[in-house]
Amino acid sequence: MSQADGVDLDKSLGYLLKETSSALRSAMEEVLRPLGMTVTHYSCLELLSQRPGLSNSDLARGTFVTRQSMNVLLQALERDGYVTRPAEAPVGKALPARLTPRGRRSLEKASAAVRSVEVRMLDGLTETEQSDAFRILRSMVDSLRRGGRP
């Protein structure tokens, strides 16, 4: 396959977005590690803070992991006192999770650490540029989720 048939990585927006995502995740892992957290652990706590009572499946979708991986994480978070879930499902099979006071305290520290990464990532951009970047990225996500439909 010649270069004409392939993707020029230096000019590929998709590749740059993946590189950005990877760099962001690495920077987040770096600041979360001393707090005893991973990005997935933090994301789970953040989602539960903003949307208490989410199920395992909802949390898995929101943190971009499998249901099985989220189940393992939730069991560990429950065992370590960060979340609580009822012994029996109130409706259906879902066991809605909620943060405990310990989970909230841990999340406060983690959120501050993650905000510091985002501030560093946006350093050098004006407020207008930050707003434009957010709008453009949101539009890209929406376009991809529409799957080519207008």
Side-chain angles (χ1 to χ4, degrees), residues 36-56:
M37 282 193 206
T38 64
V39 170
T40 304
H41 179 150
Y42 160 74
S43 299
C44 179
L45 296 182
E46 190 68 66
L47 277 170
L48 284 174
S49 172
Q50 295 181 29
R51 300 177 195 145
L54 287 178
S55 69
N56 177 61

Side-chain angles (χ1 to χ4, degrees), residues 56-97:
N56 177 61
S57 293
D58 293 330
L59 288 166
R61 275 189 295 279
T63 58
F64 311 105
V65 299
T66 65
R67 288 190 324 264
Q68 294 83 356
S69 294
M70 181 52 62
N71 191 45
V72 170
L73 176 60
L74 277 174
Q75 288 174 2
L77 292 174
E78 189 172 20
R79 180 194 65 231
D80 295 341
Y82 293 98
V83 301
T84 184
R85 296 188 293 173
E88 294 183 19
V91 176
K93 296 180 183 178
L95 297 174

Side-chain angles (χ1 to χ4, degrees), residues 103-115:
R104 290 191 189 289
R105 287 189 303 274
S106 184
L107 177 59
E108 284 179 27
K109 293 175 187 170
S111 292
V114 168
R115 273 193 300 278

